[in-house]
Amino acid sequence: MEADTKLVTGIVCSSFVTFQILFHFVSHWFSAKVCPGYNSLSIEKKIEWNSRVVSTCHSLLVGSFGLYLFLFDEPTIADPIWGDPARVKLNIATASGYLISDLLIILLNWKVIGDKFFVIHHCAALTAYYLMLRDGVLAYIANFRLLAELSSPFVNQRWFFETLKYPKFSKANVINGILMTVVFFIVRIIAIPPLYFFIYSVYGTEAFNRLGFTIQFAWVSTCFVLDVMNVMWMIKITKGCIKVISLIRQEKAKNSLQNGKLD
């Protein structure tokens, strides 16, 4: 157990340091090389840009590995509550290191990227991940929640397009917007009912009772907090999507009028 604790602590610390390096050095250098528009951004915009580059790297890493574990990690699939969490711990520890790193970046640059909802999100997730890493329980559920990160690259890409002043109706922007809405809905909204149905199905069972009140409460409360925010963000994304579709229709109608082809 002591060796396992040292390994997890080492992964969390390594992850924290790695994502700090990515934010302060690699992201700036890489973005300046591959994106000409980056150099003309203000310091404030560069801070958020670097933060979102790191966010995308993290999401691709833990999201992809999390999807693999979700589909093929037999111990946790067989027993979502008490299944052997060895491989899932690697992913959760990596995500925890990132969340601590990003939380520090947010707090140190509050005037630029400060957002109370992100702070609440990170703290809720870290609370749940800490208990999972400490006690080795609910590994399948923790990894299932981590799949929500698969939507982050599309959300960040939308911000990149907007910052670089890409036309809203450009093909790249529209395709990314559609993918963002669909993926966000699948991994953050459709995933909600099965989770609470599972909680209901195991409530009162011996496996559930063995968790103890602290973990039971943390499991339900952190999921509830995260899901409320996911629904809020989904509503915001949907409104934006509807607005863009409406503008595209207006633009097409306008062009039809100009060309004398209005039906």
Side-chain angles (χ1 to χ4, degrees):
M1 182 64 70
E2 184 178 347
D4 182 65
T5 301
K6 289 182 178 179
L7 176 61
V8 168
T9 303
I11 294 173
V12 172
C13 293
S14 298
S15 174
F16 172 84
V17 172
T18 299
F19 286 116
Q20 282 289 309
I21 292 173
L22 279 174
F23 174 78
H24 289 289
F25 303 106
V26 179
S27 177
H28 175 78
W29 174 83
F30 178 78
S31 298
K33 289 287 186 181
V34 303
C35 183
Y38 175 82
N39 294 316
S40 62
L41 297 177
S42 65
I43 294 177
E44 291 76 12
K45 283 291 185 181
K46 285 181 179 178
I47 290 174
E48 184 165 5
W49 179 291
N50 295 343
S51 174
R52 288 181 179 273
V53 168
V54 175
S55 169
T56 297
C57 292
H58 160 260
S59 299
L60 291 173
L61 175 63
V62 301
S64 300
F65 189 39
L67 184 59
Y68 167 79
L69 294 173
F70 175 72
L71 296 173
F72 303 110
D73 190 50
E74 294 182 4
T76 56
I77 293 174
D79 186 352
I81 298 180
W82 291 95
D84 179 18
R87 284 188 288 185
V88 173
K89 276 189 173 183
L90 298 177
N91 213 27
I92 298 300
T94 301
S96 297
Y98 164 76
L99 289 173
I100 297 171
S101 171
D102 196 51
L103 194 56
L104 179 62
I105 291 169
I106 290 173
L107 294 176
L108 292 178
N109 299 278
W110 186 260
K111 291 183 178 179
V112 180
I113 57 175
D115 188 317
K116 61 183 179 181
F117 288 112
F118 280 143
V119 172
I120 294 172
H121 171 277
H122 286 16
C123 289
L126 282 169
T127 299
Y129 292 162
Y130 166 75
L131 293 173
M132 181 267 149
L133 292 172
R134 186 192 70 179
D135 298 332
V137 296
L138 299 171
Y140 185 83
I141 304 301
N143 186 70
F144 180 73
R145 300 294 321 200
L146 205 52
L147 295 180
E149 290 299 323
L150 291 171
S151 65
S152 295
F154 301 104
V155 176
N156 291 331
Q157 190 59 49
R158 178 183 177 277
W159 184 89
F160 291 140
F161 283 147
E162 184 178 323
T163 300
L164 294 174
K165 302 188 185 308
Y166 270 60
K168 283 189 175 182
F169 303 142
S170 65
K171 188 174 182 180
N173 221 336
V174 171
I175 291 175
N176 180 75
I178 294 172
L179 289 173
M180 177 184 71
T181 305
V182 172
V183 174
F184 194 100
F185 182 69
I186 292 173
V187 300
R188 292 181 185 258
I189 304 302
I190 288 183
I192 293 176
L195 173 66
Y196 291 98
F197 177 78
F198 176 75
I199 294 175
Y200 174 77
S201 69
V202 299
Y203 180 78
T205 63
E206 189 268 341
F208 180 84
N209 292 335
R210 281 170 56 200
L211 292 173
F213 175 77
T214 300
I215 294 178
Q216 292 168 358
F217 177 77
W219 177 12
V220 176
S221 61
T222 56
C223 284
F224 179 76
V225 170
L226 294 173
D227 289 331
V228 167
M229 285 189 286
N230 284 334
V231 171
M232 289 170 53
W233 288 329
M234 185 72 246
I235 292 173
K236 185 176 180 180
I237 289 173
T238 303
K239 286 181 178 179
C241 188
I242 292 173
K243 183 179 179 180
V244 170
I245 292 174
S246 176
L247 289 173
I248 290 175
R249 287 178 175 174
Q250 290 177 20
E251 190 69 19
K252 285 184 177 179
K254 182 179 177 181
N255 291 336
S256 296
L257 281 171
Q258 290 175 344
N259 296 328
K261 297 179 180 179
L262 184 62
D263 294 333

